[in-house]
Amino acid sequence: MAGTEGRMSTARDRSAVWMMVILAVVAALALIIGGVAWYKPGAPSVSSRTLLAPSKEATTSANGLTPAQQLFARRMYLEQVQSGTNIDRLAEGKLVSFDVTSRKVAEDTATVGITAHFVDGTSAPGSIGLVRDKGSWYFFSMEGERGSGVSGYAAGVDPKGSDQVDSFADVPDSAIDWNLAAEMVRQQTSQQEYLKALVEGPTARYVLGKPSSGAGTVNIDATVYSKGHKVKPAKIRLVLVPSTFDGRPYTFVAGMRPLGN
Amino acid sequence: MPTMNRGAVAGTVMGVLVVAVLGVGLASGLIMQRRAVALDSAPAPVLVVFTGHAESGARVSAFTFVVKPTGAASLIDPSSQLSLPGVSATTVGDASAFAGAQDIAAAIGAGAAHWAEFPETEWVAALAASGPVSVDVPEAVDTFDGHQVHSYRAGPQVVLPEDVSHLANAAQFLPADERAVLLGSLARAVITSVAATSSPARARSDMSAEALSAQLGRLAAEATFSGLASPAGGAR
């Protein structure tokens, strides 16, 4: 009898414990519901969405380019690295104008001879190198010639840039900013009017404005004059992009676009 | 018998306690909701931040402005200086990378009694739903977002919703008067789209969605921004 009463007592105890557990859970839910309403009075129902901007990382690889175009973009990018010192001068606003002095076109390359005029009144000869691909011209390099006895900025021009890329073949693909390289090709493909005029004429002179910073760009507005002013001067913008190569800052010529006259 | 009595007593006591706690929890929620309604019933200026991302990818305040109960609004210059404890950002534009609208409102004052913050995903979705937008670009601008150069000519034009963010970033580099024109033009387009959707319900705010929606609706109808303000001074 005592054993039966003891089992009954134990069963009642278990019921009481279960009752307490269930009630405690209900109480916890009530506190949570009440607490949320208390903590965010009048707050919108959805407030925990991520605030981070969406990433475009996965959608745009450098590549919207074919393997052949990638090789072309790689060479264009590295040639501009090699001209880094001179392009930096351009981005820093040290050049005020340059005159076209000669044109030499051979197969798919062109060398446009120029005289660069600097803000300090000095000038230096040099050349702009362009390469043709499928009938379109692309800006590759900017070289200067140090004459004897020159001073000022003219004395600082770089024959092939002090930032030599000794051998393009040795540069690993991982060192290339492929997104930028691909965009340089795309931009210039769509801006052939000004590049062709530089290589084939009638462009005779670029007068450069002061560089201005943009969001991820350096912009230089310029007026392009033709020989004998036979063609109405065109107002264009050189769009340069600051980036890095091998851990060092470089500026790249992405393209040029019309500004309207 | 004594064992059974202890269990019954404990169960009863717990039951009473649970009912009491339940009542207090629910009552507190109801009281605070009534307080929120009371706050909303007295319209006051609200500081609104639309977060965005710079071309570098960093989170920024794309548009920050104070909306008065009348619907009139003044844009806060993104280059306005502010100081937030423990935060390295020194401008309103950069502050969103580290702080919410509530902190920004507290730091710059500007007479705002309430705050609201629209995540970029929300206002971009609202723009996408409303389609191309008309904006006034005071001078030609270019941006590079690490993938693509985005170029815009000067003058009134219709742009795609995804262009709004690039133009907002470009505005930071324009002279103050041109920055005001471009940001005002962009903010109007965004507000009009947001007010026409359920976006206010998904904003973070100390106001109810209804009250916030009503205030933004008045702004959308008014559709004017009174230039760029630098409440904390020190605009670039």
Side-chain angles (χ1 to χ4, degrees):
Chain A
M1 199 53 191
T4 304
E5 191 172 284
R7 281 194 297 275
M8 285 174 64
S9 174
T10 304
R12 285 191 203 99
D13 284 350
R14 282 187 189 140
S15 298
V17 168
W18 277 112
M19 177 88 168
M20 284 189 280
V21 168
I22 291 167
L23 289 173
V25 169
V26 171
L29 285 172
L31 279 171
I32 290 168
I33 293 166
V36 167
W38 176 84
Y39 183 67
K40 288 247 175 187
S45 56
V46 179
S47 60
S48 59
R49 297 176 67 120
T50 176
L51 297 176
L52 293 176
S55 169
K56 293 165 79 176
E57 197 71 30
T59 55
T60 316
S61 59
N63 304 310
L65 301 179
T66 64
Q69 287 173 323
Q70 281 194 48
L71 278 176
F72 187 80
R74 174 190 166 92
R75 187 179 155 202
M76 181 183 191
Y77 180 91
L78 292 173
E79 289 264 12
Q80 289 205 22
V81 167
Q82 222 168 23
S83 299
T85 299
N86 296 325
I87 296 175
D88 279 348
R89 292 266 153 72
L90 178 68
E92 291 161 2
K94 302 288 182 2
L95 270 74
V96 292
S97 67
F98 59 84
D99 298 314
V100 174
T101 56
S102 64
R103 291 184 169 91
K104 191 189 297 177
V105 180
E107 295 279 328
D108 285 332
T109 62
T111 304
V112 178
I114 61 170
T115 298
H117 303 279
F118 298 94
V119 288
D120 62 357
T122 60
S123 58
S127 63
I128 294 173
L130 300 100
V131 175
R132 183 162 48 192
D133 183 50
K134 297 183 179 66
S136 297
W137 289 102
Y138 298 86
F139 173 89
F140 267 52
S141 63
M142 179 182 266
E143 297 175 19
E145 295 171 22
R146 280 185 200 144
S148 59
V150 297
S151 60
Y153 290 122
V157 297
D158 204 313
K160 194 63 179 175
S162 57
D163 310 295
Q164 293 282 344
V165 179
D166 293 331
S167 168
F168 288 169
D170 291 342
V171 176
D173 276 354
S174 58
I176 310 285
D177 181 344
W178 285 104
N179 290 324
L180 173 55
E183 182 62 3
M184 287 156 60
V185 172
R186 281 192 293 267
Q187 284 287 312
Q188 295 185 34
T189 299
S190 66
Q191 297 160 348
Q192 283 299 298
E193 180 184 352
Y194 306 107
L195 289 162
K196 277 186 177 170
L198 180 63
V199 174
E200 301 165 6
T203 296
R205 182 175 169 84
Y206 271 65
V207 175
L208 307 169
K210 286 184 181 174
S212 61
S213 293
T217 63
V218 173
N219 307 317
I220 302 174
D221 292 354
T223 306
V224 185
Y225 295 93
S226 63
K227 191 173 181 181
H229 298 279
K230 290 175 182 170
V231 178
K232 186 180 176 186
K235 293 192 183 303
I236 68 162
R237 171 170 289 179
L238 303 178
V239 180
L240 282 61
V241 172
S243 185
T244 57
F245 173 79
D246 198 22
R248 294 170 57 191
Y250 282 86
T251 307
F252 296 82
V253 178
M256 52 187 71
R257 67 159 178 123
L259 278 178
N261 293 310
Chain B
M1 279 299 279
T3 306
M4 186 181 73
N5 284 344
R6 278 200 298 275
V9 168
T12 304
V13 168
M14 282 303 294
V16 169
L17 281 174
V18 165
V19 169
V21 168
L22 188 76
V24 168
L26 291 175
S28 66
L30 286 172
I31 289 166
M32 295 312 288
Q33 278 180 346
R34 282 185 184 171
R35 280 186 60 186
V37 170
L39 279 174
D40 292 345
S41 65
V46 53
L47 180 128
V48 181
V49 174
F50 283 73
T51 65
H53 67 280
E55 299 301 289
S56 65
R59 191 177 158 198
V60 295
S61 311
F63 313 102
T64 305
F65 50 88
V66 175
V67 190
K68 293 176 183 167
T70 58
S74 56
L75 277 165
I76 306 293
D77 193 329
S79 67
S80 299
Q81 302 290 304
L82 90 172
S83 176
L84 287 164
V87 171
S88 59
T90 57
T91 65
V92 171
D94 292 337
S96 277
F98 308 96
Q102 185 175 17
D103 302 315
I104 296 171
I108 66 175
H114 297 294
W115 57 271
E117 181 173 305
F118 288 79
E120 184 178 20
T121 47
E122 295 300 336
W123 62 263
V124 168
L127 278 172
S130 61
V133 294
S134 298
V135 296
D136 186 7
V137 183
E139 73 170 64
V141 292
D142 298 84
T143 72
F144 181 68
D145 62 6
H147 297 263
Q148 204 175 334
V149 172
H150 304 274
S151 298
Y152 305 89
R153 64 176 173 80
Q157 56 201 281
V158 175
V159 300
L160 297 172
E162 54 265 37
D163 291 315
V164 170
S165 182
H166 298 302
L167 285 165
N169 291 332
Q172 319 304 322
F173 294 87
L174 294 176
D177 52 343
E178 294 183 347
R179 187 159 67 240
V181 169
L182 182 51
L183 285 177
S185 174
L186 296 169
R188 267 193 296 280
V190 172
I191 286 293
T192 304
S193 298
V194 164
T197 67
S198 58
S199 286
R202 290 187 287 276
R204 294 180 60 239
S205 178
D206 64 347
M207 301 173 72
S208 70
E210 293 76 20
L212 180 59
S213 186
Q215 199 129 329
L216 292 180
R218 285 191 287 272
L219 171 58
E222 179 105 353
T224 56
F225 288 89
S226 57
L228 280 181
S230 297
R236 223 171 15 198

